[in-house]
Amino acid sequence: MQKQILLSIIVPVYNVEPFLRKCVESIENQDLAHNLYEVILVNDGSTDRCGEICRGLAEQYANILLINQKNQGLSMARNAGMDIAQGKYWMFVDSDDYIESNAIGRVLDIAEQNKTDLCFFSSMSFNEHGAWDNGYQPFEHNKIYTGEYVILNGMNISSVWKNIYLADFIKRTGLRFRKGLINEDIDFNYKLYPLAHRIMFTDILVYHYNCSFSHASLTRNKDAKQHQRALLCSLEIAKEILHYCDTVLISKAVKRLYRRRMRSLLVSSILSAYTNHQYYNSAFLHQLLDKAHAYHLYPIWGRTESWKTTIIMPLINLLWLKLFLSHSCMENNSDLC
């Protein structure tokens, strides 16, 4: 009798030729029998040699499943992997990162023993100059918490590669990754965390996150359109989370925190568009404010997460009036402009 697959590791792949083989081989070098876990490679329309490398790896390792699809973005690649995943637990790995040797089995043992919905592990960031701890969560290790408790007590909403998920827990929520978003996993976890009943943090080092300077990222990308897209996506996330607060049965305390956090996100996004002239101009600022207004996110009312953004908020709201008057003057060719 074939043993039940304990873990599905979903790996979206897009134009990461220099990193892909190391990533997959690190996943295969684990303290877990290969027949107990599957590796789902989702080649999302790569235009480099990733498709060829994926085929070779699938031939080399019996537990690798390969999906080839047209480029649809990271969200849809993860969704495609979830659609065929058979594991009791799910793990997400980005194909430019890698996994610590012989680590995943220990995390799974803890998850199984404690019947967790989410089991977090330790991670490191690295680049050409060294490595450092990636993020800190202010909670004791090997202790059970609820999602509501961790959110209200300093939880950093983090990337999906920072923990393993109980598959049935995700399936019960019906959550999927939203197509086209930047930071789509943050949107996903904001909605998922409050619904969890059993969360545990471990000190087991599992994940190595690639911050290499030879590897493109938004923080190093000089393309203004990408930065503008990121700010527009922040509006989408704010709209989604505020709608979530209005429609999902979670505590009033969590809703209050989320609403304040989304107002802070809106303030910081609009402030960035107003002050950072390297990537944003007045036309984009107007576009951002128009979209926020259409989403009923702007002007911004109520408290934010910090006193600084609360103080700045009235000034941010005045931008709408300033731009509206400026636009009216230009249309009327008024001498009062």
Side-chain angles (χ1 to χ4, degrees):
M1 180 184 295
Q2 184 177 2
K3 292 185 178 180
Q4 179 193 10
I5 294 176
L6 191 57
L7 177 68
S8 296
I9 302 178
I10 299 168
V11 188
V13 177
Y14 181 73
N15 289 358
V16 286
E17 181 182 335
F19 311 103
L20 179 57
R21 186 172 294 278
K22 178 177 181 178
C23 172
V24 175
E25 289 181 348
S26 74
I27 293 171
E28 295 290 351
N29 186 24
Q30 293 301 319
D31 51 350
L32 194 65
H34 281 185
N35 65 334
L36 293 181
Y37 71 107
E38 61 182 1
V39 183
I40 303 172
L41 302 181
V42 185
N43 179 28
D44 190 44
S46 297
T47 57
D48 60 4
R49 291 184 59 251
C50 280
E52 177 185 339
I53 295 171
C54 284
R55 286 192 297 273
L57 290 166
E59 292 172 1
Q60 181 180 354
Y61 296 102
N63 65 339
I64 289 182
L65 304 176
L66 175 59
I67 299 173
N68 289 297
Q69 63 182 32
K70 293 181 180 179
N71 179 248
Q72 300 178 63
L74 183 57
S75 293
M76 300 306 288
R78 285 177 174 150
N79 287 342
M82 289 163 58
D83 286 340
I84 68 166
Q86 300 181 63
K88 181 176 180 180
Y89 297 91
W90 291 350
M91 180 177 177
F92 298 95
V93 175
D94 289 348
S95 49
D96 45 4
D97 304 330
Y98 71 94
I99 303 301
E100 183 76 9
S101 298
N102 299 320
I104 295 175
R106 286 180 289 154
V107 178
L108 282 171
D109 285 344
I110 291 172
E112 283 276 79
Q113 292 168 14
N114 294 279
K115 296 179 170 54
T116 62
D117 296 321
L118 308 172
C119 189
F120 287 81
F121 41 72
S122 178
S123 58
M124 299 283 288
S125 294
F126 70 93
N127 62 19
E128 293 83 349
H129 302 298
W132 59 95
D133 287 341
N134 182 291
Y136 165 75
Q137 300 290 5
F139 304 103
E140 293 181 36
H141 294 144
N142 304 318
K143 179 179 178 180
I144 294 293
Y145 297 94
T146 65
E148 178 178 340
Y149 180 88
V150 298
I151 288 167
L152 296 176
N153 288 274
M155 176 73 178
N156 297 310
I157 305 295
S158 51
S159 302
V160 292
W161 46 257
K162 289 205 170 186
N163 59 280
I164 62 171
Y165 298 84
L166 181 67
D168 281 346
F169 170 55
I170 294 181
K171 291 174 183 177
R172 287 195 303 270
T173 68
L175 285 174
R176 307 277 285 176
F177 292 97
R178 292 192 65 234
K179 184 178 181 179
L181 278 186
I182 294 174
N183 293 327
E184 73 294 326
D185 51 350
I186 302 299
D187 170 74
F188 183 86
N189 280 334
Y190 260 109
K191 297 171 182 175
L192 192 72
Y193 286 0
L195 307 177
H197 296 292
R198 300 182 67 81
I199 293 178
M200 180 171 280
F201 299 86
T202 75
D203 60 354
I204 300 171
L205 175 61
V206 172
Y207 203 92
H208 295 268
Y209 174 66
N210 188 355
C211 296
S212 170
F213 289 98
S214 63
H215 168 51
S217 74
L218 185 64
T219 56
R220 293 185 291 276
N221 196 319
K222 301 303 181 183
D223 183 0
K225 289 185 177 179
Q226 278 295 94
H227 286 266
Q228 291 172 10
R229 179 173 166 246
L231 281 196
L232 292 172
C233 284
S234 71
L235 297 188
E236 297 284 346
I237 290 174
K239 181 185 74 168
E240 276 291 308
I241 300 305
L242 291 172
H243 176 71
Y244 172 85
C245 290
D246 291 337
T247 56
V248 177
L249 189 62
I250 55 176
S251 74
K252 290 181 179 179
V254 171
K255 289 181 180 182
R256 183 166 54 249
L257 175 65
Y258 275 11
R259 286 173 177 140
R260 290 178 178 176
R261 192 168 290 178
M262 291 306 104
R263 291 177 197 132
S264 291
L265 174 62
L266 290 167
V267 169
S268 61
S269 297
I270 294 170
L271 187 62
S272 293
Y274 182 68
T275 59
N276 190 339
H277 303 296
Q278 180 180 3
Y279 302 117
Y280 317 110
N281 54 28
S282 59
F284 174 75
L285 176 59
H286 210 153
Q287 178 189 356
L288 187 73
L289 294 178
D290 281 344
K291 190 167 187 177
H293 187 258
Y295 285 167
H296 305 290
L297 302 175
Y298 185 85
I300 309 165
W301 306 111
R303 287 183 57 186
T304 64
E305 195 175 18
S306 73
W307 64 267
K308 290 182 180 179
T309 47
T310 300
I311 290 173
I312 294 171
M313 188 169 61
L315 300 176
I316 294 295
N317 286 339
L318 284 175
L319 288 176
W320 178 262
L321 178 61
K322 179 181 176 181
L323 287 175
F324 175 78
L325 291 175
S326 173
H327 185 65
S328 297
C329 286
M330 291 173 61
E331 283 186 343
N332 298 324
N333 196 23
S334 172
D335 293 336
L336 296 176
C337 297

